[in-house]
Each structure stands twice: as structure tokens, then as C-alpha cells.
Amino acid sequence: MPLRDEQIERYSRQIILPNIGGKGQEKLLEARVLIVGAGGLGSPVALYLASAGVGTIGIVDFDNVELNNLQRQVLHRTDTVGMPKVKSAQEAMRALNPEVRVVTYQVRLTSENAEEIVREYDMVVDGSDNFPTKYLLNDVCYFLKKPLSHGAILGFDGQLFTMIPDQGPCYRCLFPSPPPPGAVPTCQEAGVIGAVAGVIGTLQANEVLKVLLGIGRPLLGRLLIFDGLSMEFREVGIPRDPNCPLCGEYPTVTELIDYEEFCGLRRGRSGPHG
Amino acid sequence: MFKLPEEVVKTTEKFSKALTEFLEGRMNADRFKGVRVPWGIYSQRGGRAFMARIRIPAGVVTPQQLKALGECSLNYGDGVLHVTIRQDIQIHGVRIEDVGKIISYLKDFQLSPRGGGGNTVRNVTACPLAGICPKERFDVRGHAIALTEFLLQDINSYRLPRKYKIAFSGCERDCALATVTDLGFIAKRVDSVEGFSVYVGGGLGAKSMVGQLLEEFVSSKDIAYVAEAVKRVFFKYGERRDRHHARLRFLVERLGVEGFRNLYRKELEGLKRTTHIALRDICLRYPPDVEDDISVAGDSQFEAFKKYNVFSQKQGGYFAIGIRLPLGDIPAEDLIRLADIGERFSISEFRTSQAQNIYLCNVRADMVYPIYSELKAAGLARLYIDTILDPIVCRGATTCNLGLCNSKGLAEELVSNLEAADIDLDTLQGMTIKISGCPNACGHHPTGTIGLHGIVRRVGARPVPFYKILLGGKVMEGGTRLAEEVGLVPARNVPAVLKTFLTRLQGSLERYEGNVHDYLTHEGKHIMEKVLEEHSYVPPYEEDPSFYRDFGQEEDFSLVGRGPGECGAGILDMIEADLEEARAKLSLAEEKAHDTGLLKEILYLSARALLVVKGIDPKSPEEALEAFYREFIESGIVSPRFRDLKARFTTLRGGMGDFEYARALYEEVRSLYASMDSNFQFPTRERATEEVGALDLRGTPCPMNYVKAKLFLETLPTGSVVDILLDGGEPIANVPGSLEKDGHEIMAIEDLGGFYMVKVRKGMMEVKGDQNAT
């Protein structure tokens, strides 16, 4: 379908780019991206993908907007406090770009519903704040062969990398087992800077656009680490682990498991999204 | 008889106006081309002279019309007319300023070239002997003529995605080739209602296809609805960008015949609901039966003429006389003389045939001999019409912009060879020879019992004209089959091959009971394979240079000057041959521990492969590398990592690095070839271009004008030329520069007073950033 005049105008600054053009824009308009977590990372991702014209954006979050979220979760506003986060996110994205179709899932992502939801999308963004969800997303994306942008933040630090199934390492290659419960503090406990969430989430959005368009070099096999205090970016090469229980030569994880149990957590302990 | 529709008469004035504007320099040549081509006015090879293709609906033409055509050729053309395989008559060698005179002169004779070319409804053809053939189910002339009149009234008939050809056959023998035409009607009677079975998506060309059954039966009064509905589907859904896949048959292939039929049915329904179409009743005359037979004894020459050139009509006591035109050509004086003979004997109807001949119709038995005598005196009583001594041939490299081999020269040589040989036409009855100079099938080679088309092969470092030989083509409702390839033979050996083949075939056919076609596709094929084997050797140039020369040419065969144009099909053959050889050597080199000699050959073949599209024919590796460097590396088409190609070639030592280098060059050339535009080959300054139209961006501010221009260019094939209108000030200061930075070529900027016209040629977009590098 040829672009309409209004679309040409709205997206003109990226259409001008030689490796996007009208064809790239059409690709974006047809693309479907799932964002898990409408929090600190999910906010910039949702806003930039909506503004770039990604045609369908799914968003998963179980929580309601709380006042303490607003310090870093720029999708939400003071007057949406108390509203489900997915609704608040949908309003914000619609106001920004009414042509984007926003699909909301006010659920907790679990082994039971993950496949059904993820299946509908071309790519997934991990904006979650807890290990069970991170492992779950990694596994489900690997099984369904969906690229996944992984991101995490704490304090002034952040990190991200992109998993493309069978083309590079997965989260389990990097972290074969979760840290013992309590070893890593949550944002709730340790605190986080909103701007750091903005930096990492924005980089994730950039990764998504590149993968959707098939251009550039995604963070495949490379973990990018950001230190906001010393203001340094470091890149660490991460090889594929031939012994990875998920994507290695002799996988032991062949279906979704109980991730709460895997992470040594009792059910229901996962905190609000980062 | 056919009457020029009002629409054609009316637009004649428009054409004259455009011509005047062009002659006075107020319209540029490209734009005028857009006007003249749909008017059937083509430029001939060399670009100076023009050709006017006059449509002859159903091939029905009167002596007065023939005379008028002859006069035009004498007064404004080169004095030789040409009958085409679609029953048109062409006037060649016309100066552009005289084109208007031809059109207005012929208008009074109800003749016009309107729709003779371009993306239009082309001549609607019919069996050459419709209305008089004893075998036909009913006369289809009127249908073809009335449908022409109807379709030519609609302006959309002149702006289709590609040409639209329609044919009517009077019975399942399909003499009008309806089963290999875009839309074909074959006469049929169901419960004594006259109607047609309808075929769609047939066509001959670089990719020939047999038409598929669209309708089992439509009654005669519905044919206009059918043709119009198919036209509308084509208009709406046909491919307009890629000319090589624009014909109706590709749409049918893409949608599948079922999918196409669905769209067609919907269109047909809407059409029937909203429009009432009644075709004009064409008044056709038939002579009354008489009891008479040709009875002149004792003239053996006349007996032969009677046997080969005179055909009984279904009207008792009447005959059609066939005039064989070698290669479809007839001098204007001869045509006028022929028309004169007709007039003097009250012959009111002539026909043009798909075999590029002319027939006199309705000759009463007692007139056959007197007419024969006159024809003989005029040198027009050539025997053997429609036999293997009457091959169908396209114009070939002599006048065609696209031609590869001189098919015309070959045909002349072939006929004189066959005439001298001991060949029994009766045994070989029903066989045809059809020759195209290139794979594009203008000589209808896929339907020939023997088909030939020109290609080029390299022997040593030199190009050699070759022909591909095909056997067993057949046209018949339900049984149309395209001829199958048997093999290749150097052009010089074609006459000897066919002579030997026909002699041997004849020997074994005499003992065979079944039909020729069956024989050809089985035993005949083996005979041909054997003959080809005996004639396939090409001696080195030093031994016998005649193999390296085409028929009727003084110089060695060469592709120089033969623009890649829109159909460099033979050129593609050469590229593929080189790439294939390079690939084979690569795997050999891998086995043979990276042999230096092999690696050198790989570099040479890779460098040479694409040079043909630049009209360069290198004679040595050094020449090839030099030219490749100049044409592909310096111009930025090939990656700069091969800048050291020449040095590398001389210092090759055969290690792993050298092997990888050779492989990389081969891969790059191969992918370059794969990305080559099917229309335009390569974006170079010399290449032919196609005017796509204009984009008016006046009133659009920066940078939206640039964005829109960019988006528009994206949709076009590389090499397309677009005129973009821009405002003065910021737009004209910025947009051309930005487009240039994107790799497009700014050909001209013209100040039109208040705004500007920028002529842009689309470049090859180089997209930076590699996909998912690991």
C-alpha cells in the first residue's frame, strides 16, 4: 500500500535516510512488536516505536500506575495514577501516533500464556524487572524463533544485548543460572535513575528498529554495559555456549518450565516493574 | 467492412499537432515518442527513419487500400512494404515529417496505424481465409472487425500495462493462433448457437505460454463484453513497472487461471449490469455458388501453381490465390500492380496472412488462369506458399533495435539451399520453418514444426552467431504445443543442418503412417540430434573465419553497437556462459590446490562476463581487466576492494588468499548480475532509458518535496528517467543535490519561468549497513 501524504510527512525525517526510504517505512508499518513491562525500560521503547510508526505494538503489564513510577516511567502521567499501566500506556501512544494499533495484555506473563501472546509478534522487548520473566522471555523467544531485545538497569548502571535465535548467544549462554535469591537487589530496594532507564530503553528501541528493517549490526553476541556515573560504555563479547541448556548442542530445556521455582522464588514474589 | 471509429478520426488531429510541436522543437523527442508509439510509428535501427504499422483488422483489405498503401510507400517510404505475422502492413523508411501525411492520406481509405504499437489494443486478427475456408465452422471476419471498432473507441485501450492482442479462429485448426495470443476466440456451435470458446494468457516471446481456457462457450453477441472485461482486469491489475513481465500472460500466471477468472467474472458482471454493448453488424458479402472448375490443360507450370498456390473456397466454383512474399516483403510497385490486377478482374477482397503472405479471394474458376498469367508476367506467381520453402522470419538484426542474428540473411541462404536440394514437399506437407533472430519470438519460432532462434556463444575469445533448433511446435485448439529445444548449431551450418535433416527425415517419413508432428517429437528428434552433432564443430578463427561472420555481413560478428536495449537476451546467454565457466573453474581450483592458471581464468571470466552489456568484447585477459576496471570499479558499481585487480592478476601465486580473492570477485559479479535490472541492464550513461513520466512537486515545501521525489524514484526500475517539477528558491537549490547524493543522476535542469524541470535518472541505490553481521 503506498504511503499517504500524512504518513509521508509524519515519517519524512526517517524516510529520507538511505537505508530506510519508503520501503523501510512500509516494513515498519507492517511490523508487530511486543513490549513486556510498561515501566522504566518499556516507556521509551513504547514511545519511540510508536513515533517511528511500528504498526502494531503489544504491551504486557499486570500493575497499575503508582505515584513512585513517574520518576522514571515517562509513559504515565500524574492523572493516570491508579489506572492499569497498559491503559495508561495505550493512551500515551495513541496521543502520540493514532495510527499505531496498541494491543494491551493486563496479565502477568507466565509459562501458560507466554507462547500464545508472543506468537503474534515479530520481535519482543524485555522491559521486565525480574529474573523469572527474563528467563521465561528468553526461552519462549528461542522456541518461537523471535528476536528479543534484552535490557536491565539498576542504580546508575544498565546493560543490553539482542538475541536472535540460532544466530547468536541467548540469555542463558550469558547467565546459565539465576543469582541466588536476594543476591541482586531489586530497584525497589536499591533505587534507580530515570534517565538511565531512558538511555537503555532508547537503545533497545534503536535495536528493534534495526532488526525490523534488517539494517546495521545489532548487538548480537555483544553485551553493551553502561555506567552512568563514570559515563562509560563498555562492550563485552559473549560467545555462544555450546553447553547452553537451551540453545547448546545438547539442550536440556526443551519446553517452558516453572521459572519462579527455577529462580528459587516463591510464587507471587515478583515486584512491580522496574 | 472496417470503418475507422470516431475516436481515431478525432485524435488524428491531436497527433498532427504533437508532430508539429515536435518538428518546431517545442516538444522533446522523448515526449514525442510517447505520442507516436501508440500511433504505430516506430523508429528503425539507426534512429533516423521510421516505420508506420497500419492495422488491417482480420487481414481484410481491398485493392483500393492496397494501392493507397503502395502509394504511401512510394511517396514517403523506401518503396518496400512488409506484411507482419499479425496481418498488419508496414511502411518502412519514412521520414518523420511525412508521418502526418501518411496518416491523413490513409484515413480516407479507412486505414490507420492507431494502436499499431505501444501498450494498446493491437490488430485484431482472424484466419487468413475466414469466410471462404471450407473447414471453418463459421465466418469470424465480422467479429474481429466489429470488435476492433468497439475497442478502438475507448481511450483506455491506448494506455494498458502492455500490448493486448486478440485473435479469432474459425475452427479448432486455429489458423489465427488464438491459443497463443493474449485473448483468443475459437468458433464453436452449441445447440446451433454461434459462439466461441475463449482462451486467455497465451503469447510468444522470451517466455512463451499457451493460453488457458477462460470460457467454454460464449455466444457471439457477448464477445465484446468478454474482451472488454479482460481488458479492464488487465488495466487494473497488470504489471506496469517491469516491462518484461507486463504482458497479460504473466498476470494470468501470477493469479492462476482461476484467480484471473474470478476477477474477470466480477468485471463482466459489473459491465453487463451497467453497459449495453452492441457491436456493429458488419456487412459481409459472399459470391453465389457456381458450377465451374479450373480447366486449362497442358501448362505444367500452371498445374504446379494450382497445386501449391490455389485453394478451393467453400463457395462452389470460387478460389483463393496465394501470393508468396519472400520474408513478408513486397516492393510498392508490385503491391500496386497486384491491386491493379485485382481491380481489373473485379476482385474486391484481399487478405494478409499470419505467414506474411497475401491472398486474392473470390476468384471465379474461369478467372484463375488469366489472373495467374498476369501474376506470372508481374513476377508475383512464386510457387510453394506456406511450405518449408516459405519460412516465417522476423526482420532480425538488419533493422530491429534488439535483433541479435541476421535471421533474414539466414532465411535467404536457407531457401536457396533447400530449393537446390532434392526435397519432396508433398512428403513434408504441413511442416513449417519459423525463424527469430533472437529469443523474442517475433518469427513465432515456438510454433514452428521447425523453429530457430539466434543466440550468441563465445568460441575462444570471439562471439559466434549460433541458432537454437526447436522441433515439434503445433497450434490446434486443445493441442497447442510449443516446440522443444533440441540443440545448438553455429549459424553458418544452419542451411546444411536443415538440408541434411529434411533429406533424412523425408526418407524415414515415407515409411511412416502417423502425423508429422508425432514423428518429429520422437524419431525426428533423434535424427536432428545426430545431424547437429555432425555440424557442431566451430574451427578456430585462423582456420575458417566464416563461422565468425553472420549471413550477409562483411565484418566479423560482434555485439558492439547492439545496445543492451530491452531485450539483451542473447547478451544474457553470454554472461551466463562466462559465469558458469568461472563457477566450474572455481570448484576445480578448490580441488587442485588453488592452481594459478585456473585462478587467472576465474578472474578473467568474472571480469569479462558483464562487459558485453557495455558493448565491449575483449580479446585478451589484459583487455578485459582494463575494461572491467574502467567500467565497473572506477564507476563504483563494483566494490573498491578490487582496485588492485590488474596487479593481482599478474602476481597471483595460488595461495588460499588468492583463491578467496578470485571467489570474492566471482561472487560479486554474480550477485551484480542477479541484481541487474530486467529492463535496463546497467545504469550507465550510454544505456537506453525509459521515460516514466513527470512528478509535479510545485507547491510542496522542503523537505517534503525531496521525500516525495525519493519515494517516487524508489518504485521505479534503475535507469528510469523522470521529469520533476520544482519551485524556485530553496527547492531548486536543495532537492537536486540531495537526489544526487542518493546516487541518482541529474541529467538536466531547465528553467521554465517561475519553476524548474529537473530530469533525473534513477541510480543504483547502495544501501549501507550489513544485515545482522555476527
Side-chain angles (χ1 to χ4, degrees):
Chain A
M1 227 191 13
L3 299 172
R4 299 188 312 272
D5 269 13
E6 189 216 308
Q7 292 176 315
I8 296 174
E9 170 126 36
R10 178 184 284 268
Y11 306 116
S12 60
R13 294 308 191 275
Q14 67 195 38
I15 291 176
I16 287 180
L17 293 171
N19 35 23
I20 296 189
K23 297 206 174 95
Q25 189 58 52
E26 281 165 30
K27 269 195 209 168
L28 293 181
L29 289 167
E30 281 160 21
R32 309 164 60 90
V33 176
L34 181 71
I35 302 170
V36 178
L41 294 173
S43 287
V45 175
L47 292 172
Y48 278 115
L49 294 190
S51 63
V54 170
T56 305
I57 300 177
I59 191 146
V60 185
D61 205 308
F62 180 67
D63 294 329
N64 292 333
V65 180
E66 292 174 27
L67 191 57
N68 73 69
N69 296 154
L70 302 185
Q71 164 260 4
R72 62 196 176 282
Q73 304 182 5
V74 296
L75 262 177
H76 313 299
R77 300 184 315 269
T78 308
D79 61 5
T80 61
V81 169
M83 191 189 274
K85 277 191 177 174
V86 290
K87 283 288 155 215
S88 166
Q90 188 178 40
E91 270 183 19
M93 284 190 267
R94 277 199 184 147
L96 181 58
N97 187 350
E99 116 174 316
V100 172
R101 191 174 144 243
V102 179
V103 184
T104 60
Y105 302 89
Q106 199 192 353
V107 293
R108 212 180 286 287
L109 200 70
T110 65
S111 300
E112 283 70 46
N113 62 18
E115 276 191 52
E116 197 190 323
I117 296 174
V118 169
R119 196 185 300 281
E120 300 294 311
Y121 294 87
D122 303 324
M123 183 167 182
V124 180
V125 179
D126 173 9
S128 72
D129 67 343
N130 62 82
F131 291 105
T133 307
K134 289 193 188 298
Y135 280 99
L136 166 61
L137 274 177
N138 182 65
D139 294 359
V140 74
C141 286
Y142 180 77
F143 290 140
L144 297 176
K145 304 297 172 208
K146 307 284 185 188
L148 168 70
S149 166
H150 157 85
I153 45 168
L154 192 67
F156 276 94
D157 298 326
Q159 62 178 42
L160 70 154
F161 85 100
T162 301
M163 192 262 294
I164 299 181
D166 297 324
Q167 289 187 31
C170 75
Y171 190 66
R172 283 181 186 265
C173 294
L174 192 55
F175 304 112
S177 51
V184 178
T186 63
C187 294
Q188 207 175 350
E189 294 152 2
V192 65
I193 291 294
V196 171
V199 169
I200 301 298
T202 305
L203 291 175
Q204 282 185 284
N206 191 52
E207 285 289 284
V208 171
L209 294 176
K210 268 159 51 191
V211 172
L212 293 179
L213 291 165
I215 60 174
R217 252 179 93 214
L219 279 167
L220 205 59
R222 300 183 290 149
L223 181 70
L224 186 64
I225 300 173
F226 173 63
D227 177 347
L229 275 181
S230 63
M231 197 45 85
E232 277 173 350
F233 277 101
R234 267 191 312 135
E235 191 183 301
V236 180
I238 37 173
R240 263 184 96 167
D241 180 2
N243 298 318
C244 174
L246 181 69
C247 70
E249 282 161 30
Y250 303 102
T252 52
V253 179
T254 54
E255 58 184 358
L256 298 182
I257 56 171
D258 181 337
Y259 293 89
E260 298 280 337
E261 193 188 300
F262 175 64
C263 295
L265 304 172
R266 267 173 288 120
R267 277 179 192 285
R269 214 217 113 187
S270 71
H273 291 287
Chain B
M1 288 296 106
F2 176 65
K3 276 207 319 223
L4 281 180
E6 201 42 41
E7 169 67 25
V8 174
V9 177
K10 231 169 52 199
T11 45
T12 303
E13 235 168 84
K14 269 199 204 157
F15 177 82
S16 310
K17 238 179 79 195
L19 178 60
T20 313
E21 277 182 36
F22 169 69
L23 292 174
E24 289 172 0
R26 285 181 287 129
M27 184 185 283
N28 71 30
D30 284 340
R31 199 157 296 193
F32 181 61
K33 184 177 159 201
V35 176
R36 69 171 161 79
V37 169
W39 268 94
I41 310 293
Y42 278 90
S43 79
Q44 291 178 201
R45 197 169 188 142
R48 301 230 106 161
F50 289 79
M51 172 273 277
R53 181 181 295 148
I54 314 299
R55 61 190 313 150
I56 310 289
V60 175
V61 60
T62 65
Q64 295 75 33
Q65 287 176 322
L66 288 181
K67 257 192 193 169
L69 290 163
E71 300 287 348
C72 282
S73 172
L74 278 183
N75 293 336
Y76 308 116
D78 60 8
V80 179
L81 297 101
H82 180 74
V83 174
T84 77
I85 51 176
R86 298 203 74 257
Q87 300 181 306
D88 317 86
I89 296 182
Q90 291 177 176
I91 303 168
H92 286 262
V94 179
R95 291 189 313 170
I96 192 66
E97 51 269 42
D98 291 335
V99 163
K101 294 178 200 154
I102 289 184
I103 292 178
S104 67
Y105 180 71
L106 290 180
K107 195 177 67 180
D108 297 337
F109 293 89
Q110 305 298 326
L111 289 171
S112 172
R114 182 75 173 131
N119 306 327
T120 61
V121 174
R122 298 294 186 87
N123 194 31
V124 179
T125 60
C127 303
L129 299 182
I132 57 182
C133 171
K135 293 171 186 157
E136 73 179 8
R137 295 195 177 118
F138 56 85
D139 183 2
V140 297
R141 276 177 300 166
H143 304 83
I145 292 170
L147 185 62
T148 304
E149 292 178 0
F150 167 72
L151 289 172
L152 290 191
Q153 284 169 36
D154 177 18
I155 182 80
N156 279 350
S157 293
Y158 306 99
R159 46 188 189 211
L160 295 168
R162 200 67 190 89
K163 48 192 161 186
Y164 180 27
K165 294 178 177 173
I166 303 174
F168 283 84
S169 280
C171 75
E172 76 284 353
R173 277 169 205 80
D174 194 12
C175 296
L177 309 176
T179 53
V180 285
T181 303
D182 292 314
L183 183 67
F185 292 90
I186 297 182
K188 192 170 169 182
R189 247 195 210 94
V190 171
D191 302 333
S192 77
V193 176
E194 282 186 1
F196 297 89
S197 44
V198 183
Y199 291 81
V200 72
L204 303 177
K207 208 171 166 216
S208 303
M209 292 181 206
V210 176
Q212 306 199 60
L213 190 66
L214 180 70
E215 294 271 17
E216 290 273 358
F217 182 77
V218 294
S219 103
S220 284
K221 63 181 183 2
D222 278 345
I223 55 168
Y225 287 103
V226 173
E228 177 67 16
V230 170
K231 188 185 99 188
R232 289 188 183 187
V233 173
F234 187 36
F235 188 88
K236 285 185 193 164
Y237 302 97
E239 167 69 50
R240 284 175 189 269
R241 286 176 199 154
D242 178 2
R243 269 173 72 84
H244 278 220
H245 297 94
R247 289 290 295 274
L248 186 60
R249 60 181 184 269
F250 296 104
L251 180 65
V252 175
E253 189 187 40
R254 206 170 74 220
L255 299 170
V257 73
E258 276 310 316
F260 183 88
R261 191 182 289 123
N262 289 340
L263 292 177
Y264 151 80
R265 286 265 154 84
K266 248 171 59 195
E267 205 62 61
L268 187 68
E269 231 171 74
L271 194 62
K272 282 191 165 173
R273 218 175 28 241
T274 56
T275 319
H276 177 73
I277 309 173
L279 292 182
R280 191 166 73 90
D281 214 354
I282 307 294
C283 169
L284 299 164
R285 265 177 253 142
Y286 303 95
D289 284 15
V290 289
E291 271 185 43
D292 209 349
D293 205 0
I294 313 166
S295 54
V296 176
D299 182 338
S300 66
Q301 276 184 349
F302 176 61
E303 286 305 317
F305 187 77
K306 224 169 80 179
K307 176 173 172 191
Y308 290 107
N309 293 48
V310 179
F311 305 88
S312 308
Q313 296 190 183
K314 67 176 171 190
Q315 296 83 11
Y318 284 87
F319 298 86
I321 298 179
I323 310 295
R324 171 158 77 90
L325 308 181
L327 310 169
D329 287 345
I330 181 163
E333 283 106 345
D334 285 354
L335 187 66
I336 293 169
R337 215 167 287 145
L338 184 62
D340 254 343
I341 296 174
E343 275 184 326
R344 266 186 290 120
F345 286 90
S346 306
I347 302 298
S348 60
E349 200 173 322
F350 286 69
R351 301 289 175 82
T352 50
S353 82
Q354 282 78 355
Q356 304 174 299
N357 295 312
I358 292 182
Y359 289 86
L360 286 83
C361 302
N362 304 330
V363 181
R364 224 175 56 206
D366 55 344
M367 290 296 126
V368 173
Y369 188 77
I371 290 183
Y372 160 74
S373 309
E374 297 251 356
L375 290 173
K376 199 175 135 198
L380 290 167
R382 288 184 205 91
L383 294 174
Y384 314 128
I385 192 167
D386 282 355
T387 65
I388 47 169
L389 294 180
D390 184 17
I392 294 178
V393 189
C394 75
R395 307 282 298 177
T398 43
T399 53
C400 174
N401 279 318
L402 315 168
L404 214 52
C405 295
N406 182 9
S407 40
K408 204 173 145 176
L410 167 68
E412 282 162 350
E413 186 70 25
L414 177 65
V415 170
S416 68
N417 260 265
L418 293 181
E419 273 170 350
D422 178 26
I423 283 176
D424 175 18
L425 293 174
D426 294 341
T427 312
L428 300 176
Q429 202 187 359
M431 286 191 64
T432 53
I433 299 177
K434 301 190 180 183
I435 310 173
S436 308
C438 78
N440 278 298
C442 295
H444 273 182
H445 67 264
T447 63
T449 41
I450 300 176
L452 297 106
H453 78 75
I455 55 164
V456 185
R457 280 286 179 271
R458 255 184 230 270
V459 176
R462 295 171 190 274
V464 176
F466 268 73
Y467 278 87
K468 231 175 216 167
I469 311 275
L470 302 90
L471 282 182
K474 180 172 112 176
V475 177
M476 156 92 47
E477 181 173 22
T480 294
R481 256 191 282 167
L482 301 177
E484 288 167 27
E485 264 180 52
V486 180
L488 272 181
V489 65
R492 184 182 166 283
N493 286 346
V494 170
V497 163
L498 291 190
K499 199 168 105 182
T500 315
F501 173 70
L502 290 171
T503 316
R504 288 187 200 170
L505 184 75
Q506 174 175 309
S508 49
L509 257 180
E510 275 163 4
R511 299 185 300 273
Y512 185 74
E513 299 284 305
N515 71 42
V516 183
H517 182 268
D518 289 344
Y519 193 80
L520 272 179
T521 43
H522 299 98
E523 287 81 351
K525 197 172 159 193
H526 302 309
I527 299 178
M528 182 60 99
E529 280 165 353
K530 188 89 204 327
V531 177
L532 288 179
E533 217 177 281
E534 295 159 13
H535 290 86
S536 63
Y537 177 66
V538 177
Y541 183 79
E542 294 69 28
E543 255 171 57
D544 189 352
S546 72
F547 279 84
Y548 299 81
R549 207 162 285 175
D550 205 347
F551 291 99
Q553 303 296 312
E554 307 269 292
E555 286 165 4
D556 286 350
F557 186 77
S558 144
L559 290 168
V560 176
R562 213 148 300 191
E566 59 172 14
C567 95
I571 286 170
L572 300 190
D573 279 347
M574 295 185 71
I575 298 174
E576 276 163 24
D578 275 352
L579 288 176
E580 181 49 36
E581 205 179 331
R583 196 197 54 77
K585 298 230 151 106
L586 259 176
S587 43
L588 211 59
E590 206 164 7
E591 284 164 28
K592 289 206 172 166
H594 314 140
D595 179 86
T596 318
L598 282 173
L599 292 184
K600 282 197 172 186
E601 283 190 66
I602 295 162
L603 291 184
Y604 172 35
L605 289 165
S606 306
R608 184 176 78 177
L610 296 177
L611 287 173
V612 287
V613 307
K614 308 277 185 184
I616 297 169
D617 197 8
K619 294 278 179 288
S620 68
E622 289 70 27
E623 234 179 89
L625 296 176
E626 181 62 45
F628 183 75
Y629 181 78
R630 192 176 62 238
E631 299 290 338
F632 288 93
I633 301 179
E634 269 192 340
S635 62
I637 297 173
V638 163
S639 144
R641 65 176 286 207
F642 297 108
R643 282 192 160 277
D644 62 343
L645 183 60
K646 282 181 288 179
R648 192 95 182 204
F649 184 81
T650 47
T651 59
L652 270 183
R653 287 205 320 276
M656 188 65 198
D658 284 344
F659 175 73
E660 285 304 332
Y661 185 89
R663 170 149 67 193
L665 181 69
Y666 162 74
E667 294 286 350
E668 175 137 358
V669 169
R670 207 194 49 170
S671 64
L672 201 58
Y673 172 59
S675 69
M676 206 161 77
D677 201 288
S678 64
N679 270 345
F680 295 101
Q681 318 281 341
F682 273 101
T684 72
R685 285 173 296 276
E686 300 79 21
R687 191 181 26 66
T689 57
E690 181 158 332
E691 188 99 15
V692 190
L695 177 66
D696 189 350
L697 292 175
R698 286 173 294 172
T700 309
C702 289
M704 283 303 287
N705 43 16
Y706 164 55
V707 176
K708 288 199 170 172
K710 188 182 154 84
L711 286 172
F712 186 74
L713 284 165
E714 251 180 40
T715 61
L716 305 175
T718 301
S720 308
V721 174
V722 187
D723 290 336
I724 299 178
L725 303 184
L726 289 169
D727 289 321
E730 216 187 348
I732 193 65
N734 290 311
V735 175
S738 301
L739 291 174
E740 220 161 20
K741 254 204 302 213
D742 279 352
H744 305 299
E745 185 191 340
I746 306 297
M747 300 165 74
I749 298 181
E750 211 178 315
D751 186 348
L752 297 178
F755 66 98
Y756 292 81
M757 188 177 81
V758 182
K759 199 179 259 308
V760 184
R761 174 164 24 219
K762 178 168 171 171
M764 266 234 288
M765 297 287 281
E766 226 184 274
V767 174
K768 287 167 208 87
D770 32 338
Q771 162 92 36
N772 302 345
T774 44

